[in-house]
């Protein structure tokens, strides 16, 4: 660890200068030799670095979501070129280039703050050994060696012996208890951050190897932090615990306000957005407009939660617009009455009226009771009733109502060449 820290010795000057400036402010409040002054100086250093890394964090989020989207395509390439590793790598790089992302983009915040981490480790090691490093002078060095955080010196480690701890003016028990608690909190915050990402902000509809990798890292990172934590000085533990808490809070904010599509966090977000929009009838935030605009642009490719959101707006009489705003739906504002007396919604097609079912007697009488129909054009279904003497005069003759029975050999008028009305065609004389 000391060898790696020496590689970043060129950053010790700006890091030590920032710590000294913060110490001058907090020392005037809590006292220059107190652990509060030096501890808050390290915390302020973390906050300053993480604020500067916010653009990289945004880029990390976009890269992570882009990688999640590309996982199905990556799996196809791996299966297609599983026997040709070179071609597989070329196709992977081509896919990354087309999508405008890179697997290393998700590690940018960690890589960017690593030099500051090792520079701080180098400075605290110099404090433990009594060596001036960077911008810290002899007076500030003596003040830092006297500073204790909950009874543990700033430069003490979990693995230090009793003699080393005694030279720093502390007891071995205090150092072991404080460092153990900080290591547990550091590992627990890292585990919760990773678990929050896996359970709430991952698209559950797509099962990819990327999810398995994230699940593995959820258990590997805390173990790594516990392993290296026993070798870190107390000041470095303060630094790393602070940056883990910052990452956890930053991720909670992102998951709540800009969740991954298809995740549980998106379902909760759209539910809150539905209540807000239906209550106020408008969208006020720019981030909300951007999300609604993206949902409208998807069209039929919307997931289950997005379709529920659009349907909920429609039921409330609202419609999502292409620019991310919402407006009242014209089709649900007024009601009109159709010609048949049915009430329907303006802008919508009237309901189709089902025909009334006729009884058996109506079907047998040819449906003569229906309005606008002539009974003379219908055929009777029961020829036996036409032979009765009490039949009305306006009914058809019995001979016209009876249909020829099949199998009797009788020929119809059309088959015999006779016409239905007018003069009949003369029969040709028989040839004998």
């Amino acid at each position: 660890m000391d060898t790696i820290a020496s590689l970043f010795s060129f950053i010790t000057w700006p890091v030590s200068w920032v710590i000294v400036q913060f110490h001058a402010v907090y020392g005037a409040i809590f006292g220059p030799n107190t652990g509060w002054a030096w501890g808050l100086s390290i915390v302020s250093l973390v906050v300053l670095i993480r604020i500067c890394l916010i653009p990289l964090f945004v880029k990390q989020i976009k890269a992570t979501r882009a990688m999640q989207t590309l996982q199905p395509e990556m799996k196809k390439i791996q299966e297609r070129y599983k026997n040709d590793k070179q071609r597989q790598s070329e196709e992977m790089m081509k896919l990354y280039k087309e999508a405008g992302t890179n697997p290393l983009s998700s590690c940018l915040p960690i890589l960017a703050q690593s030099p500051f981490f090792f520079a701080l480790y180098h400075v605290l090691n110099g404090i433990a050994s009594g060596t001036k490093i960077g911008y810290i002078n002899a007076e500030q060095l003596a003040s830092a060696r006297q500073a204790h955080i909950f009874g543990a010196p700033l430069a003490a480690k979990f693995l230090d012996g009793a003699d080393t701890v005694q030279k720093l003016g502390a007891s071995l028990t205090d150092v072991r208890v404080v460092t153990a608690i900080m290591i547990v909190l550091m590992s627990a915050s890292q585990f919760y951050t990773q678990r929050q990402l896996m359970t709430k902000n991952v698209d559950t509809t797509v099962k990819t190897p990327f999810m398995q990798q994230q699940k593995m890292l959820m258990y590997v990172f805390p173990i790594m932090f516990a392993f290296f934590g026993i070798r870190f000085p107390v000041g470095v533990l303060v630094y790393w615990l602070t940056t883990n808490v910052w990452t956890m809070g930053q991720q909670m904010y992102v998951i709540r306000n800009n969740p991954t599509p298809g995740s549980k966090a998106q379902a909760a977000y759209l539910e809150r957005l539905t209540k807000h929009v239906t209550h106020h009838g408008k969208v006020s935030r720019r981030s909300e407009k951007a999300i609604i605009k993206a949902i409208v642009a998807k069209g039929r490719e919307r997931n289950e939660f997005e379709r529920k959101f659009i349907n909920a707006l429609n039921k409330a009489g609202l419609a999502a617009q292409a620019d991310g705003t919402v407006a009242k739906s014209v089709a649900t504002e007024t009601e009109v009455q159709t010609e048949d007396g049915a009430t329907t919604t303006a802008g919508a097609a009237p309901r189709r009226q089902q025909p009334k079912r006729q009884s058996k007697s109506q079907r047998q009488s040819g449906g003569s009771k229906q309005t606008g129909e002539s009974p003379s054009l219908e055929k009777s279904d029961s020829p036996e009733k036409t032979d009765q003497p009490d039949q009305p005069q306006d009914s058809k003759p019995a001979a016209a109502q009876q249909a020829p029975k099949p199998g009797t050999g009788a020929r119809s008028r059309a088959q015999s060449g006779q016409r239905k009305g007018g003069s009949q065609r003369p029969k040709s004389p028989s040839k004998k």
Side-chain angles (χ1 to χ4, degrees):
M1 185 68 69
D2 295 337
T3 305
I4 299 175
S6 62
L7 297 176
F8 298 95
S9 59
F10 64 94
I11 311 179
T12 55
W13 278 94
V15 169
S16 59
W17 182 84
V18 172
I19 292 177
V20 168
Q21 301 307 314
F22 280 122
H23 176 263
V25 175
Y26 294 120
I29 301 174
F30 301 102
N33 300 331
T34 59
W36 286 103
W38 287 99
L40 290 176
S41 300
I42 297 174
V43 171
S44 300
L45 174 67
V46 175
V47 173
L48 180 62
I49 293 174
R50 294 308 300 265
I51 290 175
C52 296
L53 294 179
I54 286 178
L56 292 180
F57 181 76
V58 174
K59 191 173 183 180
Q60 178 195 22
I61 294 174
K62 294 180 179 179
T64 303
R65 293 185 179 179
M67 290 298 297
Q68 292 175 351
T69 306
L70 293 179
Q71 286 301 315
E73 299 296 330
M74 293 170 60
K75 190 174 182 179
K76 291 179 182 178
I77 293 175
Q78 291 174 354
E79 293 177 354
R80 186 180 303 173
Y81 304 105
K82 58 182 179 181
N83 297 326
D84 191 352
K85 299 297 181 182
Q86 183 177 358
R87 182 66 183 278
Q88 185 180 118
S89 301
E90 293 176 356
E91 293 295 327
M92 288 288 189
M93 294 304 296
K94 184 178 178 181
L95 181 63
Y96 295 151
K97 187 176 181 180
E98 292 177 353
T101 185
N102 195 295
L104 296 178
S105 299
S106 59
C107 303
L108 283 177
I110 297 177
L111 296 176
Q113 68 176 329
S114 295
F116 301 97
F117 169 79
F118 288 113
L120 178 63
Y121 181 87
H122 193 51
V123 170
L124 293 175
N125 267 352
I127 293 174
S129 60
T131 306
K132 294 186 297 181
I133 296 178
Y135 196 79
I136 299 177
N137 54 29
E139 182 182 356
Q140 293 163 347
L141 179 63
S143 175
R145 288 176 64 85
Q146 296 177 14
H148 290 67
I149 298 177
F150 300 109
L154 200 66
K157 305 175 185 177
F158 183 86
L159 295 179
D160 285 344
D163 297 337
T164 305
V165 174
Q166 189 175 4
K167 290 179 181 179
L168 296 173
S171 64
L172 184 61
T173 304
D174 293 340
V175 172
R176 294 282 174 87
V177 171
V178 172
T179 53
I181 292 175
M182 295 182 71
I183 290 170
V184 170
L185 292 177
M186 185 175 63
S187 301
S189 59
Q190 178 65 33
F191 176 80
Y192 181 79
T193 301
Q194 197 69 21
R195 186 176 182 274
Q196 181 180 233
L197 179 66
M198 288 297 301
T199 57
K200 295 183 179 180
N201 206 36
V202 173
D203 189 356
T204 57
T205 60
V206 180
K207 303 295 182 181
T208 62
F210 181 77
M211 296 177 60
Q212 299 297 328
Q213 295 173 5
Q214 294 293 322
K215 188 176 181 179
M216 181 181 64
L217 293 176
M218 181 173 65
Y219 296 99
V220 171
F221 274 158
I223 297 174
M224 291 177 59
F225 276 107
F227 177 76
F228 289 109
I230 59 177
R231 293 168 172 79
F232 290 161
V234 174
V236 174
L237 292 178
V238 171
Y239 174 92
W240 207 250
L241 177 60
T242 306
T243 192
N244 279 2
V245 173
W246 177 281
T247 303
M248 182 174 62
Q250 190 172 246
Q251 192 177 79
M252 289 176 65
Y253 176 81
V254 172
I255 290 175
R256 179 177 175 82
N257 296 282
N258 192 15
T260 301
S263 62
K264 294 181 180 179
Q266 190 196 29
Y269 175 83
L270 292 179
E271 185 176 355
R272 295 193 304 268
L273 184 59
T274 302
K275 293 180 180 179
H276 174 77
V277 174
T278 53
H279 180 71
H280 297 281
K282 62 179 181 178
V283 183
S284 55
R285 296 181 182 179
R286 185 181 301 177
S287 59
E288 295 174 350
K289 292 182 180 179
I291 291 178
I292 295 177
K293 182 178 180 181
I295 293 175
V296 174
K298 285 184 178 181
R300 296 184 178 180
E301 296 181 359
R302 301 185 188 111
N303 56 45
E304 178 185 359
F305 309 129
E306 295 166 347
R307 288 194 296 268
K308 287 182 179 179
F309 171 72
I310 297 296
N311 293 335
L313 291 183
N314 293 337
K315 290 180 180 179
L318 301 172
Q321 306 298 314
D323 59 351
T325 60
V326 294
K328 290 186 178 180
S329 179
V330 180
T332 58
E333 289 183 348
T334 58
E335 291 184 348
V336 296
Q337 198 172 19
T338 57
E339 295 179 358
D340 56 356
T343 303
T344 183
T345 304
R351 291 184 178 181
R352 183 178 178 182
Q353 299 296 325
Q354 297 292 336
K356 296 181 180 180
R357 187 172 180 179
Q358 297 179 346
S359 62
K360 185 176 180 181
S361 60
Q362 289 177 338
R363 291 196 302 271
Q364 289 176 351
S365 62
S368 59
K369 293 184 179 182
Q370 294 182 358
T371 60
E373 294 181 1
S374 175
S376 61
L377 299 178
E378 298 292 335
K379 293 183 179 181
S380 175
D381 293 333
S382 55
E384 292 82 358
K385 295 182 180 181
T386 59
D387 297 335
Q388 296 178 1
D390 56 347
Q391 186 176 353
Q393 295 180 359
D394 58 347
S395 61
K396 292 184 179 181
Q401 290 183 355
Q402 282 188 344
K405 296 182 179 180
T408 57
R411 297 173 64 186
S412 63
R413 293 181 178 179
Q415 290 176 342
S416 61
Q418 296 180 358
R419 298 181 181 179
K420 294 183 178 181
S423 60
Q424 301 296 327
R425 182 184 298 173
K427 295 183 179 179
S428 59
S430 60
K431 297 180 180 181
K432 294 184 181 180

